[in-house]
Amino acid sequence: MEQSSLAGKEVAAAFVSFNSRYGAAIALHIQQGVNPTEWVTEQAPAPQDVHWPFFSSSFMKRWICKLAVVVACIALTILFLIPVVIVQGLTHLDQLETWFPFLKGVLNLTFISQVITGYLPSLILQLFLSFVPPIMIMFSSIQGHISLSNIEKSACSKVWWFTVWNIFFANALSGTALYHVQVFLEPKKIPQVLAEGVPAQASFFIAYVVTSGWTSISSELFRMFPLICSFISRLCCHNASDDLEVPSIPYHSEIPRVIFSVLLGITYFFLAPLILPFLLVYYCLGYIIYRNQLLNVYAPKFETGGKFWPIVHNSTIFSLLLMHVIAIGIFGLKKLPLASSLVIPLPVLTLLFNEYCRKRFLPIFEAYPTECLVKKDREDQNDATMAEFYEKLVTAYQDPALMPVQYSGSSDGRTSPLLHAANV
Amino acid sequence: MEQSSLAGKEVAAAFVSFNSRYGAAIALHIQQGVNPTEWVTEQAPAPQDVHWPFFSSSFMKRWICKLAVVVACIALTILFLIPVVIVQGLTHLDQLETWFPFLKGVLNLTFISQVITGYLPSLILQLFLSFVPPIMIMFSSIQGHISLSNIEKSACSKVWWFTVWNIFFANALSGTALYHVQVFLEPKKIPQVLAEGVPAQASFFIAYVVTSGWTSISSELFRMFPLICSFISRLCCHNASDDLEVPSIPYHSEIPRVIFSVLLGITYFFLAPLILPFLLVYYCLGYIIYRNQLLNVYAPKFETGGKFWPIVHNSTIFSLLLMHVIAIGIFGLKKLPLASSLVIPLPVLTLLFNEYCRKRFLPIFEAYPTECLVKKDREDQNDATMAEFYEKLVTAYQDPALMPVQYSGSSDGRTSPLLHAANV
């Protein structure tokens, strides 16, 4: 079923429907043409999940976009060190006093100085961090994905690595950007540097769990930001429709936040066990609040199919490895070479476990097995509603470029690339 | 078609034949069962190519065997540094004189000392190296492969990495084993260390090309070693059959040798251009001799299907990257920071090219595209000899455990694991 042909131009991409799930899987998993970059098959997203701009892009265009996004992410990560350095400056009050001498009287009050050193740094960091998920979504959307769910998944892992680098490492190592890069060029020194830097920042990260964790998860309940946005938009545009759209949970900003708490728990439980009760409160709050939000507030925008789980798995493995490296460094610093070398099997075992999971469980996230597909297909054969389903399927995917012109009045540039990019 | 069932025991593995290539590809590339480790599909090797011991092994057994082989390869690589260090000692004649004072008179002769410093080190190295391919074949055969061709492919890349590490790096850096490991733990110092060590060994590697390259490729023509072996075996066992078996080319020892010369050419062409004429002679000799050997001496034991090419591609990319790193180090040593930083885009471009090749060409080495499969299937449909082919297929795969007992008199332990390992 060719999707789009307009004014003699043919779009080099199409949705193809199959009589059975098994047939679709065959077309999906076996390379079709001789040139693997010419004839690319992908699973079609759900109709409301399609991201049209890259629908008909060539392999090369998508590949180059992906490379550009990787470069942009690295640039953003490096640029973001500037606010992090400013935040680190706030924890050194004496520096602040030299910059702003008129604050001296205020800063000498115990309460004010406690607020500034304890809460302010992570609040400022939080403010800057709140810009990151939208930027990452933007990056992922120009990366060549054809579905919104894949964009969100890609943004989720981008935000996670960004958080690890710019919150954990930048704060734990608390030096200049150049210094960090040099440490990671000398892997031998990493355990030592981490063992020196990470325990020193324990109080910062406990405060981070309280301010960022507790606050953000509680504010999640009130949804202040969407409320304010909606209020402002109503004030400005009086013609806005009165019916509220049901929101969907922003996985790309929530999941990295939750798994970052796992990272803090795993890396700090033996350095500063005081972090554990705070994390316990965080997770209890999180369970109650997210349960309520998922059941009563959010409507799922797409079926994730559990595809976010590998991100959680990978980040947990990374946290465990980081904990082992820090342990090796700490025992090294305390002159306990035996303890240090007894830790070495742990990362090896963790990596082996990860490798086993990759073989045993990862294939299930990538493709459905024949056994399930054929079973489902057989169930479908006896299903009377299938004819109706196929009828609906024909009109399910509506290319925005083919919509009636008066309908696409609110087009935001999404319609144009589809027909111009037909260069395959 | 279940292959083997004997005395009530069922073997947990079978050869399955399909009516079409396309059908076989579907079964091969789509995960069959829910548990990907329980129901593993692999392309059946040609009948004479089957390696029976791992035919019915479980996924876990093969995985553990693979891990054990990785550990064994690392151990072998480290142990092999001992002969390398001895060879390096030979190039320092003064040391040899202190060990064996009676040699002083002989060593002072120019000719003898030239032979010892020029030829002897690489000859001894060559002697030790000749044990490596058989050892690697042994390692690969216990790694869990079910076909001899895969064993040879796996051994080929093992021998290649072994050669790079123990010939190139161990000689170029010419230090102790511990020193090497430390260098690779400090990536920042790698260019500098390589730039210091690699040019100093230019004369050794030119001699290596002459002794190892020219000699081995010329001796290939005479096949002295198989001749001597055959002569001895005839002397010892008079009942040996008189008809000579047609030999097959040992890819796992020949390919690494040829691509190691590529590595030497790429890394030394700007340090010691004198190596190029020697390499040119080597390749001309190689072309003439291998052409003769392939056409007139060797009979192919299996169809490679070009599957050795990715090893050659990867090693060429590695050689290029190594050359870039050495160039960066050399320009750094010569205090030319501009030249050094102008080289940096080169490895990035090489990696991008490699990435593009992986996307564009590697899938063809892993699976045949539908286009070709369906075309071939249609040709087969009109082929009258197909019925005969299917008839032959039924008896093509003869499990050695099911052979008549008197036939398997020369069994070498290959028959036993098949039935005992049925633990899936």
Side-chain angles (χ1 to χ4, degrees):
Chain A
M1 175 184 68
E2 192 165 304
Q3 176 71 10
S4 307
S5 64
L6 196 70
K9 266 189 188 176
E10 272 188 10
V11 171
F15 287 98
V16 181
S17 65
F18 291 84
N19 281 332
S20 67
R21 288 181 174 80
Y22 186 54
I26 290 167
L28 184 61
H29 296 297
I30 301 181
Q31 182 191 324
Q32 299 296 313
V34 175
N35 183 343
T37 61
E38 231 171 39
W39 193 342
V40 182
T41 50
E42 266 180 283
Q43 200 158 20
Q48 74 278 13
D49 194 23
V50 184
H51 181 65
W52 290 99
F54 284 89
F55 175 61
S56 62
S57 310
S58 68
F59 169 84
M60 273 309 279
K61 192 188 163 194
R62 288 167 72 172
W63 193 62
I64 291 166
C65 284
K66 201 175 173 183
L67 289 177
V69 166
V70 169
V71 173
C73 279
I74 293 169
L76 179 70
T77 309
I78 292 168
L79 283 178
F80 199 81
L81 280 171
I82 298 162
V84 171
V85 170
I86 293 171
V87 166
Q88 279 300 322
L90 278 183
T91 55
H92 304 285
L93 269 186
D94 43 346
Q95 241 177 1
L96 208 66
E97 281 176 30
T98 28
W99 288 348
F100 309 102
F102 57 90
L103 286 175
K104 208 163 194 172
V106 186
L107 288 176
N108 284 343
L109 293 170
T110 323
F111 176 73
I112 299 282
S113 78
Q114 272 175 352
V115 165
I116 288 181
T117 54
Y119 274 67
L120 212 57
S122 45
L123 276 180
I124 293 175
L125 208 59
Q126 206 52 33
L127 191 73
F128 276 101
L129 267 183
S130 65
F131 292 115
V132 173
I135 294 173
M136 288 302 183
I137 277 280
M138 197 196 74
F139 281 166
S140 293
S141 67
I142 56 170
Q143 198 185 328
H145 293 296
I146 57 156
S147 67
L148 299 173
S149 55
N150 273 337
I151 289 175
E152 203 151 329
K153 215 177 84 188
S154 158
C156 181
S157 56
K158 281 197 189 74
V159 172
W160 156 247
W161 287 114
F162 183 90
T163 312
V164 168
W165 182 258
N166 266 317
I167 306 301
F168 189 81
F169 284 116
N171 279 292
L173 305 179
S174 64
T176 60
L178 202 68
Y179 179 67
H180 294 149
V181 175
Q182 280 189 336
V183 164
F184 286 90
L185 281 177
E186 288 171 64
K188 212 174 51 173
K189 284 192 187 164
I190 290 177
Q192 196 198 333
V193 171
L194 283 178
E196 281 166 2
V198 171
Q201 293 293 326
S203 60
F204 170 79
F205 281 118
I206 293 176
Y208 181 86
V209 170
V210 177
T211 51
S212 162
W214 294 11
T215 319
S216 74
I217 223 161
S218 312
S219 68
E220 176 68 38
L221 199 59
F222 299 108
R223 296 181 46 80
M224 286 301 285
F225 189 68
L227 186 71
I228 295 164
C229 285
S230 142
F231 184 72
I232 291 168
S233 71
R234 262 151 206 264
L235 271 184
C236 300
C237 339
H238 291 283
N239 58 347
S241 59
D242 273 337
D243 51 333
L244 275 163
E245 205 187 331
V246 180
S248 66
I249 185 161
Y251 291 109
H252 63 288
S253 60
E254 298 301 320
I255 291 178
R257 208 179 281 166
V258 174
I259 54 182
F260 186 63
S261 302
V262 176
L263 175 81
L264 289 182
I266 290 176
T267 47
Y268 274 103
F269 83 92
F270 67 111
L271 299 171
L274 197 65
I275 203 170
L276 292 178
F278 290 100
L279 279 175
L280 185 70
V281 172
Y282 171 78
Y283 279 115
C284 290
L285 269 177
Y287 176 73
I288 298 164
I289 291 173
Y290 279 122
R291 202 183 136 86
N292 171 65
Q293 300 295 91
L294 287 174
L295 286 177
N296 303 325
V297 178
Y298 294 125
K301 204 165 56 182
F302 50 81
E303 279 298 320
T304 62
K307 291 212 172 173
F308 282 85
W309 181 254
I311 297 175
V312 178
H313 171 89
N314 289 341
S315 64
T316 311
I317 294 286
F318 175 79
S319 307
L320 284 171
L321 288 177
L322 192 65
M323 187 261 277
H324 301 324
V325 171
I326 294 170
I328 291 170
I330 294 241
F331 291 134
L333 275 188
K334 303 231 175 215
K335 308 258 182 268
L336 295 165
L338 182 68
S340 199
S341 48
L342 279 178
V343 175
I344 288 173
L346 286 183
V348 175
L349 289 176
T350 310
L351 283 175
L352 280 181
F353 172 72
N354 182 40
E355 190 55 34
Y356 175 74
C357 288
R358 285 181 66 85
K359 299 261 184 200
R360 170 68 185 80
F361 299 110
L362 197 60
I364 304 165
F365 290 96
E366 279 163 3
Y368 292 108
T370 308
E371 203 177 327
C372 305
L373 291 171
V374 170
K375 207 173 130 195
K376 278 268 184 192
D377 281 339
R378 282 197 193 130
E379 280 171 21
D380 282 351
Q381 277 174 357
N382 306 326
D383 195 346
T385 58
M386 282 310 288
E388 197 188 334
F389 173 79
Y390 284 125
E391 248 170 54
K392 272 187 195 163
L393 190 66
V394 177
T395 53
Y397 291 93
Q398 289 289 354
D399 189 333
L402 291 183
M403 295 279 188
V405 181
Q406 63 270 31
Y407 188 82
S408 65
S410 67
S411 90
D412 47 5
R414 279 195 178 181
T415 53
S416 47
L418 185 64
L419 289 169
H420 297 299
N423 50 358
V424 185
Chain B
M1 178 184 62
E2 191 166 307
Q3 176 73 7
S4 306
S5 65
L6 195 71
K9 265 190 186 174
E10 272 188 9
V11 171
F15 287 98
V16 182
S17 65
F18 290 83
N19 282 331
S20 67
R21 289 182 175 79
Y22 186 54
I26 290 167
L28 184 63
H29 295 297
I30 301 182
Q31 182 192 327
Q32 299 296 314
V34 175
N35 183 343
T37 62
E38 234 171 37
W39 195 342
V40 181
T41 50
E42 268 179 279
Q43 200 158 20
Q48 73 279 13
D49 194 22
V50 185
H51 181 65
W52 290 99
F54 283 90
F55 175 61
S56 62
S57 308
S58 68
F59 169 83
M60 273 309 278
K61 192 190 161 191
R62 288 167 73 172
W63 192 61
I64 291 166
C65 285
K66 200 175 173 184
L67 289 177
V69 166
V70 169
V71 173
C73 279
I74 293 168
L76 179 71
T77 309
I78 292 167
L79 284 177
F80 199 81
L81 278 171
I82 298 162
V84 170
V85 169
I86 293 171
V87 165
Q88 279 300 322
L90 277 182
T91 54
H92 304 285
L93 268 188
D94 42 348
Q95 243 177 357
L96 208 66
E97 281 177 30
T98 31
W99 289 348
F100 309 102
F102 56 90
L103 286 176
K104 209 161 192 173
V106 184
L107 288 176
N108 284 343
L109 294 170
T110 321
F111 176 73
I112 299 284
S113 77
Q114 273 175 352
V115 165
I116 289 183
T117 53
Y119 274 69
L120 213 58
S122 44
L123 276 180
I124 294 176
L125 207 59
Q126 204 53 32
L127 191 73
F128 277 100
L129 267 183
S130 65
F131 292 115
V132 172
I135 295 173
M136 290 302 184
I137 277 278
M138 198 197 72
F139 281 167
S140 293
S141 68
I142 57 170
Q143 199 186 327
H145 293 295
I146 57 156
S147 68
L148 300 173
S149 56
N150 273 337
I151 289 175
E152 203 151 330
K153 213 176 88 189
S154 158
C156 180
S157 57
K158 281 196 190 74
V159 172
W160 156 247
W161 287 114
F162 183 90
T163 313
V164 168
W165 181 257
N166 266 316
I167 308 301
F168 189 81
F169 284 116
N171 279 293
L173 305 180
S174 63
T176 62
L178 202 70
Y179 178 68
H180 295 149
V181 175
Q182 281 189 335
V183 163
F184 287 90
L185 282 177
E186 288 171 64
K188 210 174 53 175
K189 282 191 186 165
I190 290 178
Q192 195 199 332
V193 172
L194 283 178
E196 280 166 3
V198 172
Q201 292 293 328
S203 61
F204 171 78
F205 281 118
I206 293 176
Y208 182 86
V209 169
V210 176
T211 53
S212 164
W214 292 11
T215 319
S216 74
I217 223 161
S218 311
S219 67
E220 176 68 38
L221 199 59
F222 300 106
R223 295 180 47 78
M224 285 301 285
F225 189 68
L227 185 71
I228 295 165
C229 284
S230 141
F231 185 72
I232 292 168
S233 71
R234 263 150 207 263
L235 272 184
C236 299
C237 337
H238 291 284
N239 59 347
S241 60
D242 274 337
D243 52 330
L244 276 163
E245 205 188 330
V246 180
S248 67
I249 185 161
Y251 291 110
H252 63 289
S253 59
E254 299 302 321
I255 291 177
R257 207 179 281 165
V258 174
I259 54 184
F260 185 63
S261 303
V262 176
L263 174 81
L264 289 182
I266 290 175
T267 48
Y268 274 103
F269 83 91
F270 69 111
L271 299 172
L274 196 65
I275 204 169
L276 291 179
F278 290 99
L279 279 174
L280 186 68
V281 172
Y282 172 78
Y283 279 114
C284 291
L285 270 177
Y287 176 74
I288 298 164
I289 291 172
Y290 279 122
R291 200 182 137 87
N292 171 63
Q293 299 295 91
L294 287 173
L295 287 177
N296 303 326
V297 177
Y298 293 126
K301 202 165 59 183
F302 50 79
E303 278 299 319
T304 62
K307 290 209 173 176
F308 282 86
W309 181 253
I311 297 176
V312 178
H313 171 88
N314 289 342
S315 64
T316 311
I317 294 286
F318 174 79
S319 308
L320 284 171
L321 288 177
L322 191 66
M323 186 262 275
H324 300 324
V325 170
I326 294 170
I328 290 170
I330 294 241
F331 290 136
L333 276 189
K334 304 229 175 216
K335 309 256 181 270
L336 295 164
L338 182 67
S340 199
S341 47
L342 279 178
V343 174
I344 288 174
L346 286 183
V348 175
L349 289 177
T350 309
L351 283 175
L352 281 181
F353 172 71
N354 182 40
E355 191 55 34
Y356 175 74
C357 287
R358 285 180 66 85
K359 300 259 185 204
R360 170 68 184 81
F361 300 110
L362 197 62
I364 303 167
F365 290 95
E366 280 163 2
Y368 292 108
T370 308
E371 202 176 330
C372 305
L373 292 171
V374 172
K375 207 171 130 195
K376 277 268 184 193
D377 280 341
R378 280 196 194 133
E379 280 169 22
D380 282 349
Q381 277 176 355
N382 307 327
D383 195 345
T385 60
M386 282 310 285
E388 198 188 334
F389 173 79
Y390 284 126
E391 250 169 55
K392 272 188 195 162
L393 190 65
V394 177
T395 53
Y397 291 93
Q398 289 291 351
D399 189 332
L402 290 184
M403 294 280 186
V405 180
Q406 64 270 28
Y407 187 82
S408 62
S410 66
S411 89
D412 46 6
R414 280 195 176 182
T415 52
S416 49
L418 185 65
L419 289 168
H420 297 299
N423 51 359
V424 185

